[in-house]
């Protein structure tokens, strides 16, 4: 696969993905479209943060990107090639280049394998990355790079703390020298102080190695200083996207404004938005999404058109794309409390 510096490392084109459920014991199958027409891209050496509340389809995007889940339609392009149509050989090469760091470091490491075995496993699957005689040296280098003691390579996962285990997961992802790492809620299971350490580590690794990140999280407060760009996802669709400053300083979609108002952060934007926006009702189910704008049942700006016409993700009276008929950097009078 030839590399083109102008081609995004990852590109999703009108991606529709989800799961097939059986209705009742002997009932018919039904498709659940957890991702409903998502388009986004990640460029070389940058961090795109995909943000949204639980159940919005973020993890489905992650699983589709690494080919653990086949999409219903649309394209997943890695360096310009659609992976959904790849043969086994190309797909194997792609999986070396795209790695996934899971949310739970306790569950994602085999408890019966030492750290050394965990880090060398991929070299057995993908021969040629590191020559056998250099394995020990490379393991030591990987552990040092993620802030762990190389002398502990013979230890098992249960002998490490949660933050240390996540560092092992990051080292394992780096072992195959990927171009893209998908971080699926990679810090949400960690204490706040440990979260900051892992985010700092990821940023340093990006500066040193040029790796790109698709960083998936439900917490906008976590990623401000890591993200280059942000895409906000709501019930399977992207409702707002832009540079980090645009999203944090001038959020124009009501859903983004609500997420920012609830983020547990003491950054400067919280001084400007001191009230938390409370959304009415529960999030709709992807089994039966609302017509029109999928956010309109909980939106304080909603009017008749919102229940009929689904807004496109385009530039409006904003400096970045927003999928809202009444997009505005002014949150207006919403359901808030002080």
């Amino acid at each position: 696969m030839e590399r083109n510096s102008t081609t995004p490392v990852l590109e999703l084109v009108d991606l529709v993905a989800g799961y097939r459920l059986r209705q009742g014991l002997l009932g018919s199958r039904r498709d659940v479209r957890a991702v409903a027409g998502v388009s986004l891209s990640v460029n070389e050496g940058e961090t795109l943060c995909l943000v949204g509340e639980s159940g919005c389809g973020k993890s489905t995007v992650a699983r589709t990107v690494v080919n653990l889940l086949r999409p219903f339609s649309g394209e997943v392009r890695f360096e310009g090639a659609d992976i959904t149509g790849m043969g086994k050989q190309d797909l194997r090469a792609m999986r070396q280049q795209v790695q996934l760091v899971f949310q739970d470091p306790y569950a994602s490491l085999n408890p019966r394998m030492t750290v050394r075995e965990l880090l060398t496993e991929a070299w057995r699957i993908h021969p040629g990355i590191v020559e056998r005689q250099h394995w020990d040296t490379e393991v030591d280098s990987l552990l040092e790079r993620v802030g762990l003691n190389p002398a502990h390579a013979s230890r098992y996962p249960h002998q490490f703390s949660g933050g240390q285990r996540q560092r092992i997961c990051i080292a394992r992802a780096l072992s195959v020298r990927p171009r893209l790492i998908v971080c699926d809620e990679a810090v949400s299971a960690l204490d706040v102080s440990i979260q900051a350490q892992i985010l700092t580590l990821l940023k340093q690794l990006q500066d040193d190695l040029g790796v790109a990140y698709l960083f998936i999280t439900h917490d906008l407060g976590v990623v401000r200083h890591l993200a280059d760009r942000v895409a906000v996802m709501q019930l399977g669709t992207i409702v707002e996207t832009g540079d980090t400053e645009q999203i944090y300083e001038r959020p124009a979609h009501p859903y983004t404004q609500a997420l920012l108002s609830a983020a547990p952060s003491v950054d400067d934007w919280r001084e400007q938005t001191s009230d938390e926006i409370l959304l009415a009702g529960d999030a709709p189910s992807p089994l039966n999404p609302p017509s029109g704008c999928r956010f309109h049942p909980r939106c304080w700006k909603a009017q008749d058109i919102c229940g009929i016409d689904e807004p496109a993700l385009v530039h409006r009276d904003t400096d970045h794309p927003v999928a809202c008929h009444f997009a505005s950097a002014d949150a207006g009078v919403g359901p808030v409390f002080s």
Side-chain angles (χ1 to χ4, degrees), residues 24-250:
L25 186 61
L26 300 176
S28 60
R29 293 183 180 272
R30 181 180 179 185
D31 290 343
V32 180
R33 298 191 171 193
V35 178
V38 165
S39 296
L40 55 82
S41 63
V42 184
N43 297 315
E44 184 174 1
E46 80 162 352
T47 299
L48 173 70
C49 288
L50 183 60
V51 185
E53 61 194 327
S54 298
C56 74
K58 306 185 305 296
S59 291
T60 302
V61 169
R63 292 173 62 83
T64 307
V65 165
V66 297
N67 205 46
L68 292 176
L69 187 68
R70 292 189 64 84
F72 296 139
S73 63
E75 296 182 356
V76 180
R77 298 175 183 166
F78 178 69
E79 295 185 326
D82 184 6
I83 70 171
T84 60
M86 281 184 177
K88 289 184 178 180
Q89 184 174 353
D90 286 340
L91 192 58
R92 184 185 183 92
M94 184 280 300
R95 283 175 170 159
Q96 176 187 329
Q97 295 293 315
V98 182
Q99 291 292 297
L100 177 62
V101 176
F102 294 94
Q103 174 180 359
D104 186 0
Y106 295 89
S108 57
L109 297 174
N110 188 330
R112 294 180 176 86
M113 296 176 71
T114 66
V115 171
R116 187 179 308 280
E117 291 169 335
L118 288 165
L119 296 185
T120 59
E121 182 180 26
W123 302 336
R124 296 184 176 90
I125 298 171
H126 301 281
I129 298 175
V130 179
E131 296 298 328
R132 185 65 180 255
Q133 64 266 29
H134 300 311
W135 281 14
D136 287 346
T137 302
E138 187 68 14
V139 166
D140 291 350
S141 176
L142 283 168
L143 292 176
E144 288 179 345
R145 187 175 287 280
V146 299
L148 294 175
N149 189 340
H152 297 163
S154 59
R155 293 186 178 183
Y156 290 88
H158 74 272
Q159 296 176 285
F160 295 89
S161 68
Q164 289 173 325
R165 292 186 202 190
Q166 198 61 294
R167 290 174 186 266
I168 295 169
C169 292
I170 294 169
R172 181 175 61 178
L174 292 174
S175 69
V176 293
R177 301 171 183 172
R179 301 199 69 219
L180 172 70
I181 297 179
V182 180
C183 300
D184 187 9
E185 298 280 8
V187 298
S188 63
L190 306 175
D191 292 341
V192 173
S193 61
I194 306 301
Q195 286 183 3
Q197 294 175 20
I198 297 299
L199 292 172
T200 300
L201 170 64
L202 290 171
K203 184 61 178 174
Q204 184 62 54
L205 291 171
Q206 187 174 63
D207 292 342
D208 293 344
L209 304 175
V211 65
Y213 296 127
L214 174 59
F215 195 96
I216 293 170
T217 181
H218 65 275
D219 187 354
L220 268 166
V222 164
V223 296
R224 183 174 192 184
H225 301 295
L226 179 69
D228 296 303
R229 292 186 296 119
V230 176
V232 181
M233 191 170 185
Q234 193 268 327
L235 200 61
T237 63
I238 303 297
V239 297
E240 186 166 6
T241 185
D243 295 340
T244 302
E245 180 181 357
Q246 293 171 333
I247 298 299
Y248 281 88
E249 302 297 337
R250 298 178 297 281

